[in-house]
Amino acid sequence: MKYFLLTVAASTMLLVGCQSTSTIDNSAGRATVYEDTRSPGKVQGVGVESQDIMAVTDQMMRDMLSNPQLMNREVSPRIIIDSQYFTNESSSRINKNMLTDRLRINLNRAANGRLTFVGREYADMVEKERDLKRMGVVDGGTIRSTQATAGADFRLVGRIMSLDAMDVQSQERSRYHQITFELVDLELGTYVWSGMYEFKKSAQDDIMYR
């Protein structure tokens, strides 16, 4: 009799458990969709997004390539373009390397040797390899041997700035971005080129950028 009651109780619990899970939605989620990186996506807010990064770097590249102080020199100038002196003073969260890397790579491709880019952020790597060659641990490679690594003529500096406003009743917010790019002469300290990109966005609800 005791065995029979335990069997009935277990069956009842199993039946209740099946009924309680029958309301769970086990349907498949939305499939991943590729979006055009030059257009606003389905998820968008007032921050710096892919279309902004591509637009600003494309504009700065065209502006630099049309600058005679850079492009009309007999010897191609050496330029450092990285994010070390490119600061984010805005309320937008963004990886600055996405701007400086895209600008440098596209410039390097378009300039076709008329500009030379110095990889200063990898100076430690270069020095270690040079030490190995000079100690005879490895051979001298196939390119050349130089007294020192390349010094730069110009370096990129810049800022990302923003101005925010919000309607406290509707919670609608707007953000104006101003992004500046400049090349500094590393001997005189003068600016040889300057560029600026501006845009403003508004949205009912903001999203979280990571």
Side-chain angles (χ1 to χ4, degrees), residues 69-83:
Q69 294 190 63
L70 296 175
M71 306 308 299
N72 293 347
R73 294 164 59 98
E74 293 184 5
V75 179
S76 60
R78 298 174 181 174
I79 304 175
I80 300 174
I81 295 183
D82 56 29
S83 62

Side-chain angles (χ1 to χ4, degrees), residues 171-182:
Q171 295 299 305
E172 184 174 2
R173 64 188 68 199
S174 69
R175 183 172 301 164
Y176 159 70
H177 283 93
Q178 183 184 92
I179 307 177
T180 62
F181 297 79
E182 295 182 292

